[in-house]
Amino acid sequence: LSSSAEGTPSEVLRILVASQDGTVRAVERSGKDSPEEDAYRMAWEIAVGAPVFAGVVAVRELEMAIVADVTGAVRAVELRSGVVRWTAKWQCDSSSSTDGVFATPTVLPKGGAVLVPFRSGTLRCLSTADGTLMWETRLSTSPLTSTAVDSALSRGISGAVACVAAADGRVT
């Protein structure tokens, strides 16, 4: 969001893109009404230092984005500036296909927690305020995708679905 001349909020279209080279970029539409190419500009760019295969999750209510990379580092980044608010790290072997984060994290509906599925089969729940670990649980195999549903997380695991309680990580 940005402010108009009258001080009221106006919409800004911001597109967040992460890449295999470890760069996260925010591109935004300028105030021009024309669909011309120059109506878009680079708002910010940061280097996270490792490839990012998971989708970047924008959390508009918290004015932040969640970025997770193949080394297991999870970052909260300011949507407006690209400044890193916090980083949570786990030791992962980035050369192994069984470590790191490859599936997109999911922010829970009330925005206080983010669920991060690690390729090794560990699901971690982090506080969006500071990245502290709230709980973790071990799934039987590597998650392929994740989606928040009410107070539980439905997981696609090798063709099966597991339901994980968002409050404490119990697999049901």
Side-chain angles (χ1 to χ4, degrees):
L1 290 176
S2 65
S3 295
S4 67
E6 298 83 35
T8 59
S10 60
E11 294 292 320
V12 172
L13 173 63
R14 185 167 289 131
I15 302 165
L16 304 174
V17 180
S19 66
Q20 292 181 26
D21 70 359
T23 304
V24 179
R25 294 174 178 88
V27 178
E28 68 184 26
R29 183 164 168 73
S30 67
K32 298 180 181 185
D33 289 329
S34 169
E36 298 170 10
E37 190 174 315
D38 64 351
Y40 291 87
R41 68 173 188 85
M42 183 75 65
W44 51 261
E45 176 178 296
I46 61 169
V48 298
V52 177
F53 290 106
V56 177
V57 181
V59 188
R60 192 170 176 171
E61 312 79 60
L62 301 176
E63 297 184 11
M64 64 186 247
I66 302 295
V67 179
D69 68 41
V70 299
T71 68
V74 181
R75 294 170 181 80
V77 179
E78 295 278 342
L79 279 176
R80 291 180 194 224
S81 65
V83 171
V84 177
R85 284 188 190 176
W86 53 258
T87 302
K89 294 183 181 181
W90 282 268
Q91 200 63 24
C92 292
D93 178 4
S94 62
S95 66
S96 168
S97 63
T98 61
D99 280 340
V101 180
F102 291 80
T104 302
T106 301
V107 176
L108 292 178
K110 294 187 180 178
V114 59
L115 300 166
V116 184
F118 283 72
R119 182 83 180 226
S120 62
T122 301
L123 177 65
R124 292 186 171 99
C125 181
L126 309 179
S127 165
T128 54
D130 58 11
T132 56
L133 180 66
M134 298 169 72
W135 55 259
E136 67 180 21
T137 191
R138 184 91 174 112
L139 303 173
S140 60
T141 187
S142 175
L144 302 175
T145 185
S146 59
T147 307
V149 180
D150 292 328
S151 63
L153 175 76
S154 297
R155 301 294 302 232
I157 304 172
S158 300
V161 175
C163 190
V164 180
D168 60 10
R170 283 180 298 111
V171 179
T172 56

